[in-house]
Amino acid sequence: MDKILTVQHEALAAIENAADLETLNNVRIQYLGKKGSIQALMSEMKSLPKEEKPAFGQKVNVCKQEVTEALEARQAVLQEGALAEQLVREKIDITLPGDVKELGTTHPLLMIQQELEDLFLGMGYKVAEGPEVEQDYYNFELANIPKDHPARDMQDTFYIDPNTLLRTHTTAMQMRELEKAEGKTPIKLICPGKVYRRDDDDATHSHQFMQCEGLVVGEHITLADLKGTLEFMANRMFGEGRTIRFRPSYFPFTEPSVEVDVSCPFCNGKGCSVCKGSGWIEILGAGMVHPHVLEMNGFDPEKCTGFAFGVGLERVAMLKYGIDDIRNFYTNDARFLKMFDRFD
Ligand code: DAH
């Protein structure tokens, strides 16, 4: 009987002293396991005289129950401690400022391009594309600017080899589209894109800039159609109430050729610093497609006519948003670009 009490005291002390769950589990095995001390006491019962067996058995059971209960209680305490320790160890400081990912904004030139595309798609035009590295043939020859023609000097060109260049105007795409149509009308399209010229960069010149070409070919297309179309465009781009005027000009690929002014959106035509007192601002070049250009591209100029125009997107954006230096579009200063955030 004393032995039982000794085992019981030893077990309870070991449980109390177990500092972690692993030690506690070893104590369980030592006392309650199949080969443990309490099981050993049970085996000893066989050798006792019959009359002593019940009292001894009862005492061992009490011992076993007390040890089991003490183990469970100690386990609960240790588990709680382990959790608390883990929480401290894995603590995250949620007050640290987050890693903010800034969203980009639409580039102002892309905004103008998309506005023009929407406007002309709404009038049934197609949007065409073409290569920036272009053949001399499409950029000049088909546009009625043969080699040695003085008009080649109007556009200083980046040549890659004698027949290959960076296109100097979107008119190159106009020529590709005319050729592709194989003499079939109607044609109604715009071609926006980048163009390149060997200019020295300053506030109003950039060696890379953007244009949008417009082309309509069909029967009975007149200068009046051109004027109506451009007036509609001017009103959509610069606000209602704009008027336009044509001034005679020269382009090798159009006859007649015109330079187009829009009534100044800043002073309503009265005269201000932006329009230099004239009330008008030049925005684009245009004209009726030259009969020779139509012919070279397989159209019969007796049967069909066409108008064309080419507008510079930087110029439109600068007027629309009051930007005074073209280089702003290409230096990619985020403070400048952020001003055009449509979602602000
Ligand atoms: N290609 C001319 C330029 O870059 C602009 C232009 C003028 C385009 C008249 C046209 C046009 O289609 O008809 O200066």
Side-chain angles (χ1 to χ4, degrees), residues 221-237:
I221 301 294
T222 69
L223 206 62
D225 295 315
L226 173 65
K227 191 161 188 189
T229 305
L230 293 180
E231 195 161 69
F232 180 74
M233 180 176 99
N235 275 282
R236 288 286 295 270
M237 298 304 285

Side-chain angles (χ1 to χ4, degrees), residues 107-108 203 323-333 336-337:
H107 194 283
I323 298 161
D324 57 7
D325 193 324
I326 195 171
R327 289 168 292 195
N328 281 322
F329 294 114
Y330 295 103
T331 41
N332 288 334
D333 183 334
F336 171 77
L337 297 173

Side-chain angles (χ1 to χ4, degrees), residues 137-138 141-143 174-185 187 215 217-218 289-305:
Y137 181 65
Y138 292 106
E141 295 283 333
L142 272 188
Q174 181 192 145
M175 296 312 145
R176 281 181 176 271
E177 290 300 316
L178 279 172
E179 185 190 61
K180 217 192 295 176
E182 293 179 329
K184 285 195 234 12
T185 58
I187 300 173
L215 173 70
V217 181
V289 181
H290 198 294
H292 190 221
V293 170
L294 288 174
E295 232 163 36
M296 278 192 289
N297 281 295
F299 293 84
D300 181 352
E302 297 296 324
K303 294 211 177 101
C304 63
T305 51

Side-chain angles (χ1 to χ4, degrees), residues 177-292:
E177 290 300 316
L178 279 172
E179 185 190 61
K180 217 192 295 176
E182 293 179 329
K184 285 195 234 12
T185 58
I187 300 173
K188 240 175 122 177
L189 49 87
I190 58 165
C191 325
K194 290 191 194 113
V195 298
Y196 302 84
R197 286 188 203 173
R198 284 182 50 192
D199 274 331
D200 288 330
D201 293 356
D202 61 24
T204 52
H205 294 86
S206 170
H207 62 279
Q208 174 194 316
F209 57 104
M210 290 197 73
Q211 287 187 332
C212 182
E213 193 84 0
L215 173 70
V216 173
V217 181
E219 282 171 35
H220 314 300
I221 301 294
T222 69
L223 206 62
D225 295 315
L226 173 65
K227 191 161 188 189
T229 305
L230 293 180
E231 195 161 69
F232 180 74
M233 180 176 99
N235 275 282
R236 288 286 295 270
M237 298 304 285
F238 298 110
E240 293 302 314
R242 293 303 100 222
T243 50
I244 60 166
R245 73 175 183 187
F246 282 178
R247 279 181 292 110
S249 185
Y250 172 76
F251 298 103
F253 31 88
T254 42
E255 181 57 37
S257 301
V258 291
E259 222 124 13
V260 182
D261 298 340
V262 58
S263 60
C264 179
F266 298 98
C267 61
N268 243 332
K270 290 190 197 73
C272 68
S273 62
V274 179
C275 58
K276 300 193 179 77
S278 73
W280 295 97
I281 293 176
E282 185 192 325
I283 53 161
L284 54 85
M288 299 305 291
V289 181
H290 198 294
H292 190 221

Side-chain angles (χ1 to χ4, degrees), residues 31-46:
Y31 290 95
L32 293 174
K34 274 188 194 147
K35 292 176 185 161
S37 316
I38 294 174
Q39 195 57 42
L41 290 171
M42 289 293 202
S43 318
E44 274 181 38
M45 200 162 66
K46 286 182 214 142

Side-chain angles (χ1 to χ4, degrees), residues 136 140-152 252 292 296:
D136 183 281
F140 290 129
E141 295 283 333
L142 272 188
N144 206 20
I145 318 175
K147 287 203 165 58
D148 305 322
H149 190 288
R152 288 217 178 190
H292 190 221
M296 278 192 289

